[in-house]
Amino acid sequence: MNALSTDLFLNWEYEKGKNARIRYREYSQPKTDKPSLLFVHGYGGMLEHWNQNIPLFAEKYHILAIDLLGFGGSEKPNARYRLSLFAEQIRALLVHKNISNVVIVGHSMGGASGLYFAHENPDIVEGLILANPSGLFGDTMDPMAKAFFGLIASPLIGEVMFAAFANHIGVSQSLLPTYYNQKKVDLQLINQFTKPLQDKGAVWSYLSPSRRPHDFTLEHLPKPCNYRNKAFLVWGAEDSALPPHKIIPEFQQLLPQAGAFIIPEASHCIHHDAHETFNARLAYILSHEL
């Protein structure tokens, strides 16, 4: 990409008296005529999951990509992980880089975190582009899934199951349902998602959504939320975990101004699963809608 796309780190005080190193990357220099773009990955992901998206925009826009606390190359302390914490992390990075005008591109949990940040800081965000965002689930979780998450919420069973799944086979089995194009789940992607699972403290962040599910929902936000600027929902038609026909109307209660664009033959990891179509839609939004 360019000379600025190497790993950078921010020492962030995530709780009073507690600091952690946050990994991010920066592409190009800030532009006077365009907002910065901030890419925020989903649960279990990392900034490299945007590798088929960022290069297309890196010459034209100033871009930041971040690893959320507990994921990717960021530290993984024993903290209370939650959307509000990730929103605080986003704010810390933007303050660190002196950015007051940003478009957030967020996938899944990263989309929910970006929306939470925009709700609390509406004047900073020029646009929200949410790719299969999580945070609103309705009645989409079947009884078997609820029973499973109940099991891994138990500290002892959860850690045993984490150890069982924190390997190439477990990662492959977890990723395949999130892709329509199964060939995209190759060894490179599996290695990319497996490596952070071996880090010290990974068990704390990866099990947090099952142990404290309410910390990862947007249900308590007012409808509509405080963010009133432009918003866009981009969804994979084949996302069985967050089916668009059920979840999009819920997000449009939070963001009535948000239009929805559904990409066929794409599942939950839409930005990587169908990267060419996703990139074309993102380019259109950035050029014609913002």
Side-chain angles (χ1 to χ4, degrees), residues 37-38 40 50 103-107 110-111 125 127-133 227 230-234 278 281-283 285-286 290:
L37 307 184
L38 173 63
V40 189
W50 299 104
V103 172
I104 296 177
V105 185
H107 170 242
V125 182
L128 272 181
I129 303 169
L130 307 179
N132 290 56
Y227 175 76
K230 292 191 175 182
F232 307 87
L233 300 168
V234 186
F278 179 83
R281 186 59 185 175
L282 181 55
I285 291 171
L286 293 173
L290 291 174

PDB file of all heavy atoms in Angstrom, residues 37-38 40 50 103-107 110-111 125 127-133 227 230-234 278 281-283 285-286 290:
ATOM      1  N   LEU A  37     -11.529   8.222   6.691  1.00  0.00           N
ATOM      2  CA  LEU A  37     -12.297   6.980   6.788  1.00  0.00           C
ATOM      3  C   LEU A  37     -11.716   6.129   7.905  1.00  0.00           C
ATOM      4  O   LEU A  37     -10.499   5.976   7.994  1.00  0.00           O
ATOM      5  CB  LEU A  37     -12.245   6.185   5.479  1.00  0.00           C
ATOM      6  CG  LEU A  37     -12.637   6.891   4.180  1.00  0.00           C
ATOM      7  CD1 LEU A  37     -12.612   5.895   3.022  1.00  0.00           C
ATOM      8  CD2 LEU A  37     -14.002   7.541   4.289  1.00  0.00           C
ATOM      9  N   LEU A  38     -12.570   5.593   8.760  1.00  0.00           N
ATOM     10  CA  LEU A  38     -12.144   4.690   9.821  1.00  0.00           C
ATOM     11  C   LEU A  38     -12.813   3.339   9.609  1.00  0.00           C
ATOM     12  O   LEU A  38     -14.042   3.240   9.604  1.00  0.00           O
ATOM     13  CB  LEU A  38     -12.517   5.239  11.192  1.00  0.00           C
ATOM     14  CG  LEU A  38     -12.265   4.291  12.374  1.00  0.00           C
ATOM     15  CD1 LEU A  38     -10.775   3.974  12.533  1.00  0.00           C
ATOM     16  CD2 LEU A  38     -12.833   4.860  13.670  1.00  0.00           C
ATOM     17  N   VAL A  40     -13.552  -0.407  10.960  1.00  0.00           N
ATOM     18  CA  VAL A  40     -13.633  -1.101  12.247  1.00  0.00           C
ATOM     19  C   VAL A  40     -14.129  -2.524  11.999  1.00  0.00           C
ATOM     20  O   VAL A  40     -15.241  -2.729  11.498  1.00  0.00           O
ATOM     21  CB  VAL A  40     -14.585  -0.378  13.224  1.00  0.00           C
ATOM     22  CG1 VAL A  40     -14.470  -0.998  14.617  1.00  0.00           C
ATOM     23  CG2 VAL A  40     -14.286   1.121  13.284  1.00  0.00           C
ATOM     24  N   TRP A  50      -9.842  -6.208   6.240  1.00  0.00           N
ATOM     25  CA  TRP A  50     -10.199  -5.197   5.248  1.00  0.00           C
ATOM     26  C   TRP A  50      -9.191  -5.138   4.093  1.00  0.00           C
ATOM     27  O   TRP A  50      -9.223  -4.208   3.286  1.00  0.00           O
ATOM     28  CB  TRP A  50     -10.266  -3.820   5.897  1.00  0.00           C
ATOM     29  CG  TRP A  50     -11.282  -3.663   6.979  1.00  0.00           C
ATOM     30  CD1 TRP A  50     -11.055  -3.622   8.330  1.00  0.00           C
ATOM     31  CD2 TRP A  50     -12.697  -3.484   6.823  1.00  0.00           C
ATOM     32  NE1 TRP A  50     -12.234  -3.438   9.004  1.00  0.00           N
ATOM     33  CE2 TRP A  50     -13.261  -3.351   8.118  1.00  0.00           C
ATOM     34  CE3 TRP A  50     -13.550  -3.421   5.705  1.00  0.00           C
ATOM     35  CZ2 TRP A  50     -14.633  -3.160   8.326  1.00  0.00           C
ATOM     36  CZ3 TRP A  50     -14.916  -3.236   5.918  1.00  0.00           C
ATOM     37  CH2 TRP A  50     -15.428  -3.108   7.212  1.00  0.00           C
ATOM     38  N   VAL A 103     -15.816   9.377   8.473  1.00  0.00           N
ATOM     39  CA  VAL A 103     -16.807   8.409   7.998  1.00  0.00           C
ATOM     40  C   VAL A 103     -16.387   7.056   8.550  1.00  0.00           C
ATOM     41  O   VAL A 103     -15.249   6.620   8.349  1.00  0.00           O
ATOM     42  CB  VAL A 103     -16.871   8.359   6.460  1.00  0.00           C
ATOM     43  CG1 VAL A 103     -17.756   7.200   5.991  1.00  0.00           C
ATOM     44  CG2 VAL A 103     -17.386   9.677   5.908  1.00  0.00           C
ATOM     45  N   ILE A 104     -17.281   6.404   9.262  1.00  0.00           N
ATOM     46  CA  ILE A 104     -16.977   5.117   9.867  1.00  0.00           C
ATOM     47  C   ILE A 104     -17.533   4.007   8.988  1.00  0.00           C
ATOM     48  O   ILE A 104     -18.718   4.005   8.638  1.00  0.00           O
ATOM     49  CB  ILE A 104     -17.556   5.012  11.286  1.00  0.00           C
ATOM     50  CG1 ILE A 104     -16.889   6.046  12.198  1.00  0.00           C
ATOM     51  CG2 ILE A 104     -17.370   3.603  11.848  1.00  0.00           C
ATOM     52  CD1 ILE A 104     -17.458   6.074  13.612  1.00  0.00           C
ATOM     53  N   VAL A 105     -16.661   3.072   8.626  1.00  0.00           N
ATOM     54  CA  VAL A 105     -17.049   1.871   7.896  1.00  0.00           C
ATOM     55  C   VAL A 105     -16.875   0.712   8.861  1.00  0.00           C
ATOM     56  O   VAL A 105     -15.747   0.350   9.213  1.00  0.00           O
ATOM     57  CB  VAL A 105     -16.190   1.663   6.629  1.00  0.00           C
ATOM     58  CG1 VAL A 105     -16.700   0.464   5.827  1.00  0.00           C
ATOM     59  CG2 VAL A 105     -16.165   2.921   5.772  1.00  0.00           C
ATOM     60  N   GLY A 106     -17.972   0.151   9.331  1.00  0.00           N
ATOM     61  CA  GLY A 106     -17.888  -0.881  10.360  1.00  0.00           C
ATOM     62  C   GLY A 106     -18.580  -2.159   9.948  1.00  0.00           C
ATOM     63  O   GLY A 106     -19.669  -2.127   9.365  1.00  0.00           O
ATOM     64  N   HIS A 107     -17.953  -3.278  10.271  1.00  0.00           N
ATOM     65  CA  HIS A 107     -18.539  -4.587   9.981  1.00  0.00           C
ATOM     66  C   HIS A 107     -18.987  -5.253  11.269  1.00  0.00           C
ATOM     67  O   HIS A 107     -18.245  -5.277  12.249  1.00  0.00           O
ATOM     68  CB  HIS A 107     -17.525  -5.493   9.264  1.00  0.00           C
ATOM     69  CG  HIS A 107     -17.970  -6.917   9.154  1.00  0.00           C
ATOM     70  ND1 HIS A 107     -17.293  -7.965   9.734  1.00  0.00           N
ATOM     71  CD2 HIS A 107     -19.058  -7.459   8.543  1.00  0.00           C
ATOM     72  CE1 HIS A 107     -17.937  -9.094   9.482  1.00  0.00           C
ATOM     73  NE2 HIS A 107     -19.002  -8.821   8.761  1.00  0.00           N
ATOM     74  N   GLY A 110     -18.094  -4.244  14.783  1.00  0.00           N
ATOM     75  CA  GLY A 110     -17.478  -2.954  14.496  1.00  0.00           C
ATOM     76  C   GLY A 110     -18.494  -1.937  14.020  1.00  0.00           C
ATOM     77  O   GLY A 110     -18.378  -0.742  14.308  1.00  0.00           O
ATOM     78  N   GLY A 111     -19.520  -2.406  13.287  1.00  0.00           N
ATOM     79  CA  GLY A 111     -20.599  -1.513  12.887  1.00  0.00           C
ATOM     80  C   GLY A 111     -21.413  -1.052  14.081  1.00  0.00           C
ATOM     81  O   GLY A 111     -21.763   0.118  14.196  1.00  0.00           O
ATOM     82  N   VAL A 125     -19.130  12.622  13.246  1.00  0.00           N
ATOM     83  CA  VAL A 125     -19.331  11.603  12.207  1.00  0.00           C
ATOM     84  C   VAL A 125     -20.106  12.193  11.035  1.00  0.00           C
ATOM     85  O   VAL A 125     -21.240  12.630  11.178  1.00  0.00           O
ATOM     86  CB  VAL A 125     -20.074  10.381  12.785  1.00  0.00           C
ATOM     87  CG1 VAL A 125     -20.232   9.302  11.714  1.00  0.00           C
ATOM     88  CG2 VAL A 125     -19.323   9.828  13.999  1.00  0.00           C
ATOM     89  N   GLY A 127     -20.558  10.324   8.181  1.00  0.00           N
ATOM     90  CA  GLY A 127     -21.304   9.233   7.576  1.00  0.00           C
ATOM     91  C   GLY A 127     -21.043   7.919   8.297  1.00  0.00           C
ATOM     92  O   GLY A 127     -19.954   7.702   8.828  1.00  0.00           O
ATOM     93  N   LEU A 128     -22.078   7.079   8.331  1.00  0.00           N
ATOM     94  CA  LEU A 128     -21.968   5.724   8.870  1.00  0.00           C
ATOM     95  C   LEU A 128     -22.258   4.741   7.748  1.00  0.00           C
ATOM     96  O   LEU A 128     -23.316   4.808   7.113  1.00  0.00           O
ATOM     97  CB  LEU A 128     -22.998   5.494   9.979  1.00  0.00           C
ATOM     98  CG  LEU A 128     -22.683   5.843  11.421  1.00  0.00           C
ATOM     99  CD1 LEU A 128     -23.888   5.475  12.289  1.00  0.00           C
ATOM    100  CD2 LEU A 128     -21.436   5.129  11.917  1.00  0.00           C
ATOM    101  N   ILE A 129     -21.321   3.831   7.495  1.00  0.00           N
ATOM    102  CA  ILE A 129     -21.534   2.781   6.495  1.00  0.00           C
ATOM    103  C   ILE A 129     -21.397   1.456   7.232  1.00  0.00           C
ATOM    104  O   ILE A 129     -20.292   1.052   7.629  1.00  0.00           O
ATOM    105  CB  ILE A 129     -20.521   2.901   5.341  1.00  0.00           C
ATOM    106  CG1 ILE A 129     -20.628   4.288   4.695  1.00  0.00           C
ATOM    107  CG2 ILE A 129     -20.763   1.801   4.309  1.00  0.00           C
ATOM    108  CD1 ILE A 129     -19.515   4.615   3.719  1.00  0.00           C
ATOM    109  N   LEU A 130     -22.524   0.799   7.459  1.00  0.00           N
ATOM    110  CA  LEU A 130     -22.571  -0.366   8.325  1.00  0.00           C
ATOM    111  C   LEU A 130     -22.770  -1.620   7.481  1.00  0.00           C
ATOM    112  O   LEU A 130     -23.783  -1.760   6.777  1.00  0.00           O
ATOM    113  CB  LEU A 130     -23.695  -0.223   9.344  1.00  0.00           C
ATOM    114  CG  LEU A 130     -23.679   1.077  10.166  1.00  0.00           C
ATOM    115  CD1 LEU A 130     -24.866   1.111  11.129  1.00  0.00           C
ATOM    116  CD2 LEU A 130     -22.365   1.232  10.916  1.00  0.00           C
ATOM    117  N   ALA A 131     -21.804  -2.521   7.549  1.00  0.00           N
ATOM    118  CA  ALA A 131     -21.839  -3.767   6.795  1.00  0.00           C
ATOM    119  C   ALA A 131     -22.293  -4.905   7.709  1.00  0.00           C
ATOM    120  O   ALA A 131     -21.566  -5.281   8.632  1.00  0.00           O
ATOM    121  CB  ALA A 131     -20.457  -4.067   6.214  1.00  0.00           C
ATOM    122  N   ASN A 132     -23.506  -5.410   7.487  1.00  0.00           N
ATOM    123  CA  ASN A 132     -24.060  -6.477   8.321  1.00  0.00           C
ATOM    124  C   ASN A 132     -23.810  -6.206   9.807  1.00  0.00           C
ATOM    125  O   ASN A 132     -23.236  -7.034  10.521  1.00  0.00           O
ATOM    126  CB  ASN A 132     -23.477  -7.836   7.931  1.00  0.00           C
ATOM    127  CG  ASN A 132     -23.958  -8.313   6.582  1.00  0.00           C
ATOM    128  OD1 ASN A 132     -23.800  -7.625   5.582  1.00  0.00           O
ATOM    129  ND2 ASN A 132     -24.541  -9.503   6.546  1.00  0.00           N
ATOM    130  N   PRO A 133     -24.233  -5.052  10.308  1.00  0.00           N
ATOM    131  CA  PRO A 133     -23.936  -4.727  11.709  1.00  0.00           C
ATOM    132  C   PRO A 133     -24.676  -5.640  12.679  1.00  0.00           C
ATOM    133  O   PRO A 133     -25.789  -6.087  12.412  1.00  0.00           O
ATOM    134  CB  PRO A 133     -24.423  -3.279  11.840  1.00  0.00           C
ATOM    135  CG  PRO A 133     -25.500  -3.155  10.807  1.00  0.00           C
ATOM    136  CD  PRO A 133     -25.032  -3.996   9.652  1.00  0.00           C
ATOM    137  N   TYR A 227     -27.718  10.213  16.454  1.00  0.00           N
ATOM    138  CA  TYR A 227     -27.018  10.460  15.199  1.00  0.00           C
ATOM    139  C   TYR A 227     -28.031  10.650  14.069  1.00  0.00           C
ATOM    140  O   TYR A 227     -28.837   9.759  13.796  1.00  0.00           O
ATOM    141  CB  TYR A 227     -26.083   9.292  14.876  1.00  0.00           C
ATOM    142  CG  TYR A 227     -25.409   9.435  13.532  1.00  0.00           C
ATOM    143  CD1 TYR A 227     -24.353  10.329  13.361  1.00  0.00           C
ATOM    144  CD2 TYR A 227     -25.835   8.695  12.435  1.00  0.00           C
ATOM    145  CE1 TYR A 227     -23.747  10.477  12.120  1.00  0.00           C
ATOM    146  CE2 TYR A 227     -25.230   8.834  11.198  1.00  0.00           C
ATOM    147  CZ  TYR A 227     -24.185   9.727  11.055  1.00  0.00           C
ATOM    148  OH  TYR A 227     -23.586   9.879   9.822  1.00  0.00           O
ATOM    149  N   LYS A 230     -25.885  11.194   7.628  1.00  0.00           N
ATOM    150  CA  LYS A 230     -26.136  10.131   6.651  1.00  0.00           C
ATOM    151  C   LYS A 230     -25.675   8.767   7.166  1.00  0.00           C
ATOM    152  O   LYS A 230     -24.642   8.636   7.820  1.00  0.00           O
ATOM    153  CB  LYS A 230     -25.454  10.471   5.332  1.00  0.00           C
ATOM    154  CG  LYS A 230     -26.098  11.685   4.654  1.00  0.00           C
ATOM    155  CD  LYS A 230     -25.605  11.870   3.242  1.00  0.00           C
ATOM    156  CE  LYS A 230     -26.368  13.008   2.560  1.00  0.00           C
ATOM    157  NZ  LYS A 230     -25.957  13.191   1.153  1.00  0.00           N
ATOM    158  N   ALA A 231     -26.476   7.755   6.834  1.00  0.00           N
ATOM    159  CA  ALA A 231     -26.184   6.388   7.255  1.00  0.00           C
ATOM    160  C   ALA A 231     -26.602   5.426   6.154  1.00  0.00           C
ATOM    161  O   ALA A 231     -27.592   5.662   5.441  1.00  0.00           O
ATOM    162  CB  ALA A 231     -26.911   6.054   8.558  1.00  0.00           C
ATOM    163  N   PHE A 232     -25.847   4.332   6.042  1.00  0.00           N
ATOM    164  CA  PHE A 232     -26.081   3.371   4.972  1.00  0.00           C
ATOM    165  C   PHE A 232     -25.908   1.958   5.528  1.00  0.00           C
ATOM    166  O   PHE A 232     -24.941   1.675   6.242  1.00  0.00           O
ATOM    167  CB  PHE A 232     -25.088   3.593   3.820  1.00  0.00           C
ATOM    168  CG  PHE A 232     -25.062   5.015   3.326  1.00  0.00           C
ATOM    169  CD1 PHE A 232     -24.230   5.950   3.935  1.00  0.00           C
ATOM    170  CD2 PHE A 232     -25.869   5.421   2.281  1.00  0.00           C
ATOM    171  CE1 PHE A 232     -24.201   7.264   3.508  1.00  0.00           C
ATOM    172  CE2 PHE A 232     -25.860   6.738   1.848  1.00  0.00           C
ATOM    173  CZ  PHE A 232     -25.031   7.659   2.456  1.00  0.00           C
ATOM    174  N   LEU A 233     -26.840   1.089   5.180  1.00  0.00           N
ATOM    175  CA  LEU A 233     -26.770  -0.315   5.564  1.00  0.00           C
ATOM    176  C   LEU A 233     -26.460  -1.131   4.314  1.00  0.00           C
ATOM    177  O   LEU A 233     -27.176  -1.032   3.307  1.00  0.00           O
ATOM    178  CB  LEU A 233     -28.090  -0.770   6.172  1.00  0.00           C
ATOM    179  CG  LEU A 233     -28.550  -0.027   7.436  1.00  0.00           C
ATOM    180  CD1 LEU A 233     -30.001  -0.382   7.749  1.00  0.00           C
ATOM    181  CD2 LEU A 233     -27.643  -0.362   8.617  1.00  0.00           C
ATOM    182  N   VAL A 234     -25.393  -1.912   4.377  1.00  0.00           N
ATOM    183  CA  VAL A 234     -25.018  -2.784   3.265  1.00  0.00           C
ATOM    184  C   VAL A 234     -25.036  -4.211   3.799  1.00  0.00           C
ATOM    185  O   VAL A 234     -24.331  -4.511   4.768  1.00  0.00           O
ATOM    186  CB  VAL A 234     -23.627  -2.420   2.700  1.00  0.00           C
ATOM    187  CG1 VAL A 234     -23.329  -3.246   1.455  1.00  0.00           C
ATOM    188  CG2 VAL A 234     -23.546  -0.926   2.383  1.00  0.00           C
ATOM    189  N   PHE A 278     -19.018  -5.059  -2.889  1.00  0.00           N
ATOM    190  CA  PHE A 278     -19.001  -4.186  -1.718  1.00  0.00           C
ATOM    191  C   PHE A 278     -18.186  -2.925  -2.000  1.00  0.00           C
ATOM    192  O   PHE A 278     -18.608  -1.811  -1.669  1.00  0.00           O
ATOM    193  CB  PHE A 278     -18.433  -4.919  -0.513  1.00  0.00           C
ATOM    194  CG  PHE A 278     -18.348  -4.078   0.733  1.00  0.00           C
ATOM    195  CD1 PHE A 278     -19.457  -3.919   1.556  1.00  0.00           C
ATOM    196  CD2 PHE A 278     -17.173  -3.424   1.071  1.00  0.00           C
ATOM    197  CE1 PHE A 278     -19.391  -3.125   2.697  1.00  0.00           C
ATOM    198  CE2 PHE A 278     -17.095  -2.631   2.206  1.00  0.00           C
ATOM    199  CZ  PHE A 278     -18.210  -2.487   3.015  1.00  0.00           C
ATOM    200  N   ARG A 281     -20.056  -0.509  -4.141  1.00  0.00           N
ATOM    201  CA  ARG A 281     -21.092   0.214  -3.403  1.00  0.00           C
ATOM    202  C   ARG A 281     -20.480   1.271  -2.500  1.00  0.00           C
ATOM    203  O   ARG A 281     -20.988   2.390  -2.399  1.00  0.00           O
ATOM    204  CB  ARG A 281     -21.916  -0.769  -2.563  1.00  0.00           C
ATOM    205  CG  ARG A 281     -23.116  -0.127  -1.868  1.00  0.00           C
ATOM    206  CD  ARG A 281     -24.053   0.492  -2.877  1.00  0.00           C
ATOM    207  NE  ARG A 281     -25.152   1.213  -2.245  1.00  0.00           N
ATOM    208  CZ  ARG A 281     -26.051   1.926  -2.911  1.00  0.00           C
ATOM    209  NH1 ARG A 281     -25.989   2.023  -4.230  1.00  0.00           N
ATOM    210  NH2 ARG A 281     -27.015   2.559  -2.275  1.00  0.00           N
ATOM    211  N   LEU A 282     -19.380   0.931  -1.832  1.00  0.00           N
ATOM    212  CA  LEU A 282     -18.701   1.893  -0.959  1.00  0.00           C
ATOM    213  C   LEU A 282     -18.195   3.086  -1.765  1.00  0.00           C
ATOM    214  O   LEU A 282     -18.344   4.244  -1.346  1.00  0.00           O
ATOM    215  CB  LEU A 282     -17.543   1.202  -0.231  1.00  0.00           C
ATOM    216  CG  LEU A 282     -16.724   2.045   0.737  1.00  0.00           C
ATOM    217  CD1 LEU A 282     -17.609   2.712   1.785  1.00  0.00           C
ATOM    218  CD2 LEU A 282     -15.652   1.197   1.411  1.00  0.00           C
ATOM    219  N   ALA A 283     -17.624   2.810  -2.945  1.00  0.00           N
ATOM    220  CA  ALA A 283     -17.132   3.897  -3.798  1.00  0.00           C
ATOM    221  C   ALA A 283     -18.289   4.818  -4.217  1.00  0.00           C
ATOM    222  O   ALA A 283     -18.132   6.040  -4.249  1.00  0.00           O
ATOM    223  CB  ALA A 283     -16.427   3.320  -5.024  1.00  0.00           C
ATOM    224  N   ILE A 285     -21.132   5.347  -2.611  1.00  0.00           N
ATOM    225  CA  ILE A 285     -21.578   6.127  -1.448  1.00  0.00           C
ATOM    226  C   ILE A 285     -20.627   7.298  -1.188  1.00  0.00           C
ATOM    227  O   ILE A 285     -21.055   8.434  -0.989  1.00  0.00           O
ATOM    228  CB  ILE A 285     -21.669   5.234  -0.197  1.00  0.00           C
ATOM    229  CG1 ILE A 285     -22.826   4.237  -0.334  1.00  0.00           C
ATOM    230  CG2 ILE A 285     -21.850   6.072   1.068  1.00  0.00           C
ATOM    231  CD1 ILE A 285     -22.854   3.177   0.747  1.00  0.00           C
ATOM    232  N   LEU A 286     -19.336   7.013  -1.205  1.00  0.00           N
ATOM    233  CA  LEU A 286     -18.346   8.046  -0.910  1.00  0.00           C
ATOM    234  C   LEU A 286     -18.335   9.151  -1.976  1.00  0.00           C
ATOM    235  O   LEU A 286     -18.134  10.327  -1.660  1.00  0.00           O
ATOM    236  CB  LEU A 286     -16.955   7.431  -0.796  1.00  0.00           C
ATOM    237  CG  LEU A 286     -16.732   6.489   0.403  1.00  0.00           C
ATOM    238  CD1 LEU A 286     -15.379   5.816   0.323  1.00  0.00           C
ATOM    239  CD2 LEU A 286     -16.865   7.242   1.731  1.00  0.00           C
ATOM    240  N   LEU A 290     -22.032  11.245  -0.028  1.00  0.00           N
ATOM    241  CA  LEU A 290     -21.418  11.977   1.099  1.00  0.00           C
ATOM    242  C   LEU A 290     -20.716  13.237   0.610  1.00  0.00           C
ATOM    243  O   LEU A 290     -20.324  13.323  -0.537  1.00  0.00           O
ATOM    244  CB  LEU A 290     -20.426  11.066   1.833  1.00  0.00           C
ATOM    245  CG  LEU A 290     -21.051   9.902   2.614  1.00  0.00           C
ATOM    246  CD1 LEU A 290     -19.976   8.987   3.164  1.00  0.00           C
ATOM    247  CD2 LEU A 290     -21.914  10.429   3.762  1.00  0.00           C
TER     248      LEU A 290
END
